[in-house]
Amino acid sequence: MQQFMTQLQHLLSAPGSGPVNWDLARQVAASQLAAAGDPAVSPHERHAVEEALRLADLWLEPATAWPTGIRVSLAWNRNEWIYKTLDVWRKLCDPVASRMVGAMGDLVPPEARAQLGPMHSMMATLGGALFGGQLGQALGSLAAEVLSAGDIGLPLGPAGTAALIPANIRAYGQGLELPEDEVRLYVALREAAHQRLFQHVPWLRGHVFSAVETYASGIRVNREAIEEAMGRVDPTDPESMQTIALEGIFTPEDTPAQKASLARLETALALVEGWVCHVVDEAAGNRLPNVVRLGEAFRRRRAAGGPAEQTFAALVGLELRPRRLREATTLWAALAEHRGIAGRDAVWGHPDLLPSDDDFADPAAFATARVDLDDELATFDFSAPGGPQEQAPGTPPRTEGTGDDAEGS
């Protein structure tokens, strides 16, 4: 009992604010990686990553309308990936975790809260510690699988920082039975493409995070699952604190609003990943011997999600997977065919220009629908008399030679 109370006191006194004890999450993730192994990045690997990202950026030049988005090229070990991406995970997970922590406090009957006094607030602290420990395990597992900073389609790392994880790339290449340098270059192409997209589309980062937050706000907390998890705590067994499984606590609500927010999130992720897949395949062209095999492997990997990504989804209720990745890739290819590279990338100019989920069914129709209008607007002289800015809404166009054109009319 004394050992349990000591561990409980450590959990409750651990620094951190908010619904998740992020200091504990980082400690758990680091401990998990230490047990599994976290190879240091060698000088040779660092140089190889820098060269791969440099070459990838050169190959992307003719395939995109934007210049490089990379300011810094880095090789990370697994712990560095966790440390450098933790701020973004905080933004993604805090809204969901706050719902769980609030639900834990609600387990205490209202009439008993006054009697418990400070003990009631300790429930929220304990909830933050439990969630932090579970999230740390999930992030530790993800860190052993991700290949780069932008591998799961979100801008997790610092802006302008392209980073690859050599140990994970080596393991992934062995699984594919492909040369490590070829796999590294393909991952570098994907990372460099992500950097161009998020650096030169300033509203995109907020758009994706907003879609995640909107979807998370509709996730329902399963109070029965919380009660069951807390019921497994054995005061005589300190290890029981670490084996509590929080999977299944969060489930999406089956409402029209939640379905719409899920569709918006999946569309946003699919459009990002589809653009990256299309651009990378165009840039690699005939340069990489196994480009077709690599592209197919990555599409399957992103669409299905790895074991660690599935664990994360079970924990926080968020599946960060582009379900319609193939359709999105086809759509961007159609836009490039009908509008050219500049016209394709111009679609990112505003959220309202992006294709909707319905447009995935007929990419050619979407790609050609606005071509005539775009050509007309491109040649229209908005400063000429009778331009849209000089006409009142709802009035017919004015013609030359009429009294309507006279000054002072």
Side-chain angles (χ1 to χ4, degrees):
M1 176 63 75
Q2 181 62 37
Q3 187 180 6
F4 172 77
M5 293 305 295
T6 300
Q7 184 172 3
L8 180 61
Q9 184 179 12
H10 172 72
L11 284 173
L12 297 178
S13 62
S17 58
V20 178
N21 190 322
W22 286 101
D23 286 330
L24 181 61
R26 187 170 61 245
Q27 292 170 21
V28 169
S31 176
Q32 182 172 318
L33 288 176
D38 185 14
V41 178
S42 69
H44 171 74
E45 288 175 325
R46 200 175 305 279
H47 176 73
V49 165
E50 291 174 354
E51 284 300 301
L53 286 168
R54 183 189 63 80
L55 182 58
D57 242 357
L58 287 176
W59 286 8
L60 286 172
E61 280 298 316
T64 67
W66 303 306
T68 180
I70 299 176
R71 294 199 294 265
V72 181
S73 298
L74 297 174
W76 287 345
N77 63 13
R78 293 160 180 168
N79 261 299
E80 285 178 300
W81 177 84
I82 291 176
Y83 182 77
K84 297 294 186 181
T85 63
L86 209 59
D87 285 344
V88 175
W89 288 118
R90 188 192 304 267
K91 294 178 183 178
L92 292 173
C93 298
D94 273 355
V96 182
S98 64
R99 297 169 69 85
M100 186 208 75
V101 173
M104 289 185 66
D106 292 341
L107 294 177
V108 180
E111 60 272 12
R113 294 175 190 172
Q115 299 177 4
L116 288 175
M119 287 294 292
H120 181 243
S121 63
M122 288 174 62
M123 288 290 291
T125 307
L126 178 60
L130 289 174
F131 198 90
Q134 294 282 301
L135 192 55
Q137 293 180 28
L139 290 177
S141 298
L142 267 176
E145 292 183 3
V146 294
L147 306 178
S148 67
D151 192 27
I152 65 172
L154 297 176
L156 295 176
T161 298
L164 308 187
I165 297 89
N168 295 350
I169 292 174
R170 181 167 55 251
Y172 183 67
Q174 290 171 352
L176 294 178
E177 298 182 346
L178 289 175
E180 181 181 344
D181 58 345
E182 193 171 342
V183 177
R184 183 194 305 115
L185 183 52
Y186 193 84
V187 175
L189 281 164
R190 290 179 52 82
E191 178 70 2
H194 271 108
Q195 292 294 332
R196 289 195 184 219
L197 182 59
F198 280 98
Q199 281 289 97
H200 296 290
V201 183
W203 55 264
L204 182 57
R205 181 183 297 259
H207 178 78
V208 173
F209 287 157
S210 174
V212 172
E213 292 170 5
T214 302
Y215 176 65
S217 67
I219 291 176
R220 181 175 59 85
V221 179
N222 188 336
R223 294 182 58 181
E224 291 76 14
I226 294 179
E227 290 178 338
E228 182 182 350
M230 296 301 295
R232 290 195 293 268
V233 175
D234 182 0
T236 64
D237 180 15
E239 297 298 323
S240 68
M241 294 288 293
Q242 302 176 9
T243 58
I244 295 177
L246 298 181
E247 288 91 341
I249 284 180
F250 302 105
T251 55
E253 291 185 354
D254 189 19
T255 64
Q258 182 66 351
K259 290 178 180 178
S261 66
L262 176 59
R264 178 170 175 256
L265 172 58
E266 291 180 341
T267 299
L269 292 174
L271 288 174
V272 169
E273 285 299 284
W275 185 89
V276 168
C277 286
H278 164 64
V279 166
V280 167
D281 288 348
E282 289 295 308
N286 297 322
R287 295 183 170 111
L288 287 178
N290 293 288
V291 64
V292 175
R293 185 176 168 190
L294 281 164
E296 183 60 27
F298 270 79
R299 271 186 280 273
R300 287 199 307 267
R301 179 175 178 269
R302 284 297 294 121
E309 196 170 334
Q310 293 166 9
T311 300
F312 179 80
L315 178 62
V316 301
L318 289 173
E319 292 189 352
L320 302 176
R321 290 185 288 147
R323 293 184 181 274
R324 306 192 67 179
L325 176 55
R326 293 183 187 275
E327 294 94 325
T329 305
T330 302
L331 193 149
W332 290 115
L335 281 165
E337 178 184 354
H338 292 284
R339 305 192 193 183
I341 291 174
R344 176 202 65 198
D345 293 348
V347 174
W348 290 106
H350 191 277
D352 292 344
L353 297 177
L354 289 178
S356 66
D357 189 56
D358 294 336
D359 293 319
F360 285 21
D362 195 347
F366 176 81
T368 58
R370 294 174 57 95
V371 171
D372 294 338
L373 177 60
D374 290 344
D375 290 342
E376 182 179 343
L377 290 176
T379 58
F380 190 85
D381 185 2
F382 285 91
S383 63
Q389 73 274 19
E390 294 189 11
Q391 293 179 206
T395 59
R398 291 175 294 184
T399 57
E400 295 184 7
T402 66
D404 291 339
D405 286 329
E407 293 184 3
S409 60

